Amino acid sequence: MKVSREQAALNRERIVDVAARLFREKGYDGIGVADLMKNAGLTHGGFYGHFASKEDLMIEACQHALNQSLEGWRAKIASDPQHALPAIIDNYLTTRHRDQPGGGCPAAAMGVDAARMSPGARPAFTKATQQQFALLQDLLSDGAPEQRRRQAIATFAAMVGAMVLARSVDEEALSAEILDAVKAQLLSD
């Protein structure tokens, strides 16, 4: 049975949304096309009507997840510009975020996968990372633009690194200590 263009577009959106979550939860190699499509409520055979390859889906899923992350940050900034930076840091460096990678930061969850893939996956990460740096830089009030940019880069790198480390260790206390230490350091600057 042939589906309408509107339904095909909705199906594609659903596949990308599910893939963005599952790639963050399981990694690129941790989920196959058949399971991705099953989780989207579609058949495996329909995949190649939407995407040329799993890697093409990864690229689009990365873009989708990165856009979601940026929108979350923009919402925090819009709701309380004066306290947005501490709110972003405080919300990011939590055990909740650590334990729910499927809805969390794509840089912490998919960055290593994107770095290992063909160059096609990297432009989405580059663009979103530049946007995240710019958002953070705009929230910093002290110093020349170059100093604020360096601070924005260091802040984001510390946040992502802390999340990756916190997810990597097998001791709950150490994991929480990593998050708390980086949060305290960033909030004291």
Side-chain angles (χ1 to χ4, degrees):
M1 177 169 79
K2 190 163 178 128
V3 298
S4 69
R5 287 180 193 213
E6 294 81 19
Q7 187 59 52
L10 290 173
N11 288 348
R12 183 182 179 93
E13 277 182 44
R14 185 172 38 198
I15 295 166
V16 170
D17 192 52
V18 166
R21 178 180 51 82
L22 291 174
F23 284 142
R24 283 180 283 180
E25 286 176 4
K26 300 175 182 294
Y28 179 78
D29 291 328
I31 185 90
V33 169
D35 287 331
L36 281 166
M37 294 299 283
K38 182 178 177 184
N39 276 273
L42 300 166
T43 62
H44 176 231
F47 177 82
Y48 293 100
H50 295 282
F51 303 96
S53 67
K54 181 181 170 187
E55 188 167 315
D56 285 347
L57 172 58
M58 173 69 166
I59 292 167
E60 196 164 327
C62 284
Q63 290 170 332
H64 177 71
L66 291 162
N67 287 337
Q68 286 178 321
S69 180
L70 285 166
E71 287 307 312
W73 283 21
R74 287 184 184 115
K76 282 193 185 332
I77 293 166
S79 70
D80 187 1
Q82 296 288 6
H83 301 101
L85 183 57
I88 288 169
I89 293 168
D90 191 54
N91 186 60
Y92 191 102
L93 295 169
T94 63
T95 55
R96 184 186 83 258
H97 180 200
R98 179 200 64 200
D99 297 343
Q100 297 176 355
C105 176
M110 299 189 303
V112 172
D113 285 332
R116 291 181 180 144
M117 295 174 65
S118 73
R122 296 173 105 177
F125 267 85
T126 300
K127 181 180 176 184
T129 300
Q130 292 281 16
Q131 291 173 320
Q132 286 171 307
F133 292 163
L135 286 174
L136 290 173
Q137 181 178 343
D138 288 346
L139 296 175
L140 297 165
S141 57
D142 295 336
E146 312 81 49
Q147 292 170 312
R148 292 193 332 268
R149 179 167 171 82
R150 273 195 309 274
Q151 184 63 38
I153 292 169
T155 298
F156 188 58
M159 290 165 54
V160 171
M163 188 55 59
V164 170
L165 286 173
R167 288 178 177 158
S168 298
V169 299
D170 69 349
E171 293 178 16
E172 173 63 31
L174 177 58
S175 178
E177 182 181 16
I178 293 165
L179 296 173
D180 291 343
V182 174
K183 183 187 301 187
Q185 182 66 43
L186 292 175
L187 293 176
S188 71
D189 289 344

